[in-house]
Amino acid sequence: MTIIKTLRLLQLVSYTIVASQFIFYLIILSGALRNVSITNFLEQRRAVDGLMQQRWKVVYYSCLALSTVMVAVSARQPGSWVFITSVIAMLCLVVDVVLALKGNEPINRMVNLAALTPKPPKGDFSNWEDLRVQWLRLIEIRGVITVSGLGALLVGLVWG
């Protein structure tokens, strides 16, 4: 029983760390990033993406691993709150990762490739503006999904 409680705590802490990024984006940062110039947005994305590639994958994949372990451990009681909410949280996290890899990551690569050119892109920024809107929209969708997963875990904690 102590092992399960420890795993639940670790899962909740790691999921909270993942969801906290999105809560910040949903409440403040996405609005701020809409208001900065496209050049500043691209510069910010380049700076953040480098750190995200190094550090954030470990956080995400450890959270996914803990969620998978919790689903496996709680599968002995498939009708329990712990199992049901762990499955919901894991599915939310999987959807988030898929959206990140299929949606945000290609945009990040384009931004990083543009940084390799001798001069920053000039002239028609309409394409970059469209990419910013798309990137922020994906972040907001991912945020709602991931925060929903965190909500599920909290429900499981309270009623589980």
Side-chain angles (χ1 to χ4, degrees):
M1 188 61 131
T2 304
I3 292 173
I4 292 174
K5 287 185 177 188
T6 303
L7 286 171
R8 285 181 72 189
L9 177 63
L10 291 172
Q11 178 194 27
L12 186 59
V13 168
S14 69
Y15 215 103
T16 301
I17 293 168
V18 169
S20 67
Q21 169 201 354
F22 292 112
I23 293 168
F24 184 65
Y25 266 97
L26 289 169
I27 294 173
I28 297 171
L29 198 55
S30 63
L33 290 175
R34 281 184 175 84
N35 293 328
V36 299
S37 71
I38 196 66
T39 304
N40 286 340
F41 173 78
L42 294 172
E43 182 179 338
Q44 183 269 348
R45 286 304 322 133
R46 284 183 214 116
V48 170
D49 192 51
L51 295 173
M52 294 290 277
Q53 292 298 325
Q54 297 169 13
R55 300 175 186 168
W56 203 241
K57 284 183 181 181
V58 173
V59 172
Y60 254 88
Y61 293 124
S62 63
C63 183
L64 191 56
L66 281 166
S67 294
T68 304
V69 168
M70 273 310 300
V71 168
V73 167
S74 62
R76 295 179 189 145
Q77 298 175 331
S80 70
W81 280 99
V82 174
F83 176 74
I84 293 167
T85 58
S86 290
V87 168
I88 291 169
M90 186 180 76
L91 290 174
C92 288
L93 195 60
V94 167
V95 169
D96 174 33
V97 169
V98 169
L99 286 173
L101 294 174
K102 299 283 185 184
N104 291 105
E105 193 61 33
I107 296 170
N108 289 342
R109 276 194 301 276
M110 290 170 53
V111 169
N112 291 331
L113 283 174
L116 298 175
T117 60
K119 294 182 181 178
K122 291 188 178 185
D124 183 18
F125 283 108
S126 61
N127 187 43
W128 288 110
E129 186 60 43
D130 292 343
L131 288 173
R132 170 174 41 186
V133 168
Q134 182 183 358
W135 190 88
L136 287 170
R137 184 69 185 132
L138 283 165
I139 286 291
E140 290 165 348
I141 291 167
R142 290 174 55 209
V144 169
I145 291 167
T146 304
V147 171
S148 297
L150 177 62
L153 289 178
L154 292 173
V155 166
L157 183 67
V158 172
W159 283 285

